Amino acid sequence: AAAAPDAASFNLQYVGGHWRIVNNEMGPWPVAGVSAARAAGVTGRGDNVKVLGNHIHDIAGTSALENHGIYLDGGTSNWEIAHNWIHDITGGSLIQMNDANGLAGSFTKPHGGTWMGFTGMQVHNNWLENAAKYGLNISDVGSVGASVVEYRAWNNVIIGTKLPPIRMNSSARTMDVTFAYNTLHNAMVSNSGSGNGYFRNEGNGTGAIRAYN
């Protein structure tokens, strides 16, 4: 937990294989005395990964709030995140996908081809409770070309986030996003600073964003 960047119980890389992370406990993760920790229960990137049935909790952080329950960076596609209990993430968001370096639409993956964006992402049947930031966050500002966000989130419970429980900040050229049958309760308990809403959409992406039931 004293590592500065890229610290996590599980840290996956571009060509690390098709991981299955199942039935683990991750936490607590203290960061006392660390000035620039960036961590998560699960972090990294890769293709065709499943994170199922894990207990991720008490991930602490610095004032930068860059420590999360699950954090996925640019180069991430075809993940299933399901049946996890993620709670008390005092360092950041419960599940955050952030293309921090604007890779979508331009990044050449190590094994060839261009990473087009967060495609084939499925987040369902998770219990997500208490976070210093967001519940579900997708951000890819700076993506270029024919970049894509393809994301489904359903049957999740999101409780006790300080900022909006669902937030998007995307500049993708093609968006195909659905939030359905989720339960949002007692969330957004503090002022977010740039507009409050249980569902907050920023950025100038184009395409379909559906939020229903």
Side-chain angles (χ1 to χ4, degrees):
D6 301 326
S9 309
F10 293 88
N11 186 349
L12 312 182
Q13 299 304 315
Y14 292 106
V15 291
H18 303 320
W19 282 74
R20 304 292 183 265
I21 301 174
V22 181
N23 289 350
N24 301 280
E25 180 177 3
M26 297 165 241
W29 193 275
V31 294
V34 178
S35 61
R38 288 180 295 193
V42 176
T43 191
R45 54 195 65 79
D47 180 62
N48 191 16
V49 175
K50 295 184 182 296
V51 182
L52 307 175
N54 298 284
H55 181 198
I56 304 173
H57 63 97
D58 297 288
I59 308 293
T62 67
S63 59
L65 298 179
E66 293 180 322
N67 294 6
H68 312 283
I70 295 177
Y71 176 82
L72 305 182
D73 203 350
T76 299
S77 299
N78 301 308
W79 280 52
E80 182 180 13
I81 300 171
H83 304 286
N84 301 287
W85 179 23
I86 306 175
H87 65 91
D88 295 300
I89 309 301
T90 60
S93 300
L94 290 155
I95 299 177
Q96 178 153 311
M97 301 178 190
N98 181 29
D99 178 17
N101 297 311
L103 303 180
S106 62
F107 174 68
T108 300
K109 295 181 287 187
H111 55 281
T114 301
W115 182 67
M116 300 311 299
F118 294 113
T119 59
M121 306 303 295
Q122 301 180 59
V123 179
H124 64 92
N125 296 95
N126 299 284
W127 188 283
L128 309 173
E129 185 171 8
N130 298 336
K133 290 180 73 177
Y134 306 103
L136 305 178
N137 184 33
I138 308 170
S139 179
D140 67 352
V141 173
S143 58
V144 298
S147 52
V148 178
V149 171
E150 184 183 75
Y151 185 97
R152 303 284 183 272
W154 72 94
N155 286 355
N156 299 288
V157 175
I158 307 175
I159 299 173
T161 59
K162 287 192 175 181
L163 301 184
I166 296 176
R167 183 246 190 178
M168 292 195 63
N169 187 17
S170 177
S171 58
R173 296 299 88 198
T174 301
M175 302 179 70
D176 183 0
V177 178
T178 299
F179 300 99
Y181 303 101
N182 299 287
T183 298
L184 314 179
H185 174 71
N186 194 33
M188 199 176 61
V189 297
S190 69
N191 192 329
S192 69
S194 58
N196 275 12
Y198 263 33
F199 175 81
R200 193 171 91 194
N201 184 32
E202 307 169 56
N204 59 351
T206 57
I209 302 174
R210 313 165 193 87
Y212 59 88
N213 290 95

